[in-house]
Amino acid sequence: MGSEKNIKRAIKILISAKQIQKRVAELGKEITEYYKNKVSEKRPLVIIIVQKGASIFGADLVRKIRLSLDLRFIRVVSYGGKTMPQSDPEIFDKIKSGIENDHVLVVEDILDTGKTLAFIKSYLNNLQPMSLNFAVLLIKKMKRMAKIPRVRFKAFTISNKFVVGYGLDYNEIYRNLPYVGVIENYSPR
Ligand code: IMP
Ligand code: MG
């Protein structure tokens, strides 16, 4: 495991911490605007943060949303294109109490093939929310493998590179970097 010095050497910054914070604040405003007449203290906006990747983005984003929120978490394991390209995402830590008739916003880290979002959409639609939208930090420009749900709130679009930081990992490391970067010498799958 590398020291902070090693980390700095190995990662090329793609989106700086400052750029991220600026965009997250804008997104928080957009979300506030979009839901302000739809939710109330009696009927808060249900925000579902997808663990672990969206934990950092989600934590920052919710603090920029000026609405009554009910914060939830789900954990989805995607084997997306890596060791088991054919396997479907699996869901852990399911939603415990009902979201029927609630406005629901799912916060996810990255849209790659789209398999994970498509899976989350069908899982949550079965719970019959009033509405279901997605806020995603990074949209990768690539050919999608799955029929993907529309992403209403997007922070950044990036090229098809493997990125780490701001919640995203490589073998569970690098999630704590305040920026999004590319591991130098990493060859994409
Ligand atoms: P999808 O199902 O192919 O869209 O994959 C989405 C999931 O794969 C994300 O939630 C991430 O956990 C992971 N993922 C995809 N691309 C990257 C990346 O560039 N860096 C880190 N994780 C990634
Ligand atoms: Mg993920």
Side-chain angles (χ1 to χ4, degrees):
M1 234 175 283
S3 65
E4 177 66 15
K5 208 170 154 203
N6 288 341
I7 287 175
K8 274 186 186 146
R9 247 205 306 269
I11 310 287
K12 197 176 126 211
I13 299 178
L14 197 64
I15 309 170
S16 71
K18 206 174 157 192
Q19 284 174 290
I20 293 172
Q21 292 310 320
K22 183 171 176 272
R23 186 70 193 113
V24 168
E26 288 168 3
L27 216 53
K29 272 195 186 155
E30 282 175 42
I31 292 166
T32 304
E33 201 51 36
Y34 182 82
Y35 286 105
K36 71 178 183 204
N37 298 322
K38 297 182 170 75
V39 303
S40 63
E41 208 172 310
K42 264 190 168 170
R43 175 134 304 186
L45 174 63
V46 174
I47 296 243
I48 302 178
I49 297 178
V50 184
Q51 301 281 33
K52 302 176 194 169
S55 57
I56 312 278
F57 171 48
D60 282 346
L61 184 63
V62 293
R63 285 176 288 174
K64 298 293 179 189
I65 299 174
R66 298 282 175 261
L67 299 166
S68 302
L69 299 184
D70 172 354
L71 202 51
R72 315 279 188 98
F73 299 89
I74 52 173
R75 192 154 63 88
V76 180
V77 175
S78 346
Y79 302 107
K82 283 234 178 113
T83 48
M84 289 185 278
Q86 302 309 328
S87 68
D88 289 326
E90 232 185 294
I91 195 149
F92 297 89
D93 307 340
K94 297 187 178 179
I95 298 296
K96 287 183 183 78
S97 60
I99 54 165
E100 205 169 298
N101 299 323
D102 286 325
H103 290 288
V104 174
L105 178 65
V106 176
V107 180
E108 176 57 318
D109 54 358
I110 190 163
L111 178 71
D112 188 4
T113 64
K115 263 192 169 185
T116 308
L117 271 203
F119 175 81
I120 293 169
K121 186 182 179 180
S122 82
Y123 165 68
L124 292 175
N125 268 341
N126 279 335
L127 304 177
Q128 300 183 310
M130 170 88 82
S131 72
L132 181 62
N133 280 309
F134 294 91
V136 177
L137 176 70
L138 302 170
I139 309 286
K140 267 193 201 179
K141 264 190 251 161
M142 65 167 303
K143 201 161 172 277
R144 311 278 174 229
M145 276 165 65
K147 190 175 177 294
I148 50 143
R150 165 160 190 246
V151 178
R152 188 176 288 273
F153 305 102
K154 304 170 189 176
F156 299 97
T157 301
I158 59 168
S159 59
N160 189 17
K161 286 182 185 141
F162 191 84
V163 292
V164 295
Y166 200 63
L168 291 135
D169 72 305
Y170 174 63
N171 285 344
E172 295 301 326
I173 311 298
Y174 304 116
R175 292 192 198 272
N176 58 322
L177 299 179
Y179 47 82
V180 170
V182 180
I183 305 176
E184 306 210 293
N185 306 323
Y186 176 85
S187 45
R189 56 184 190 253

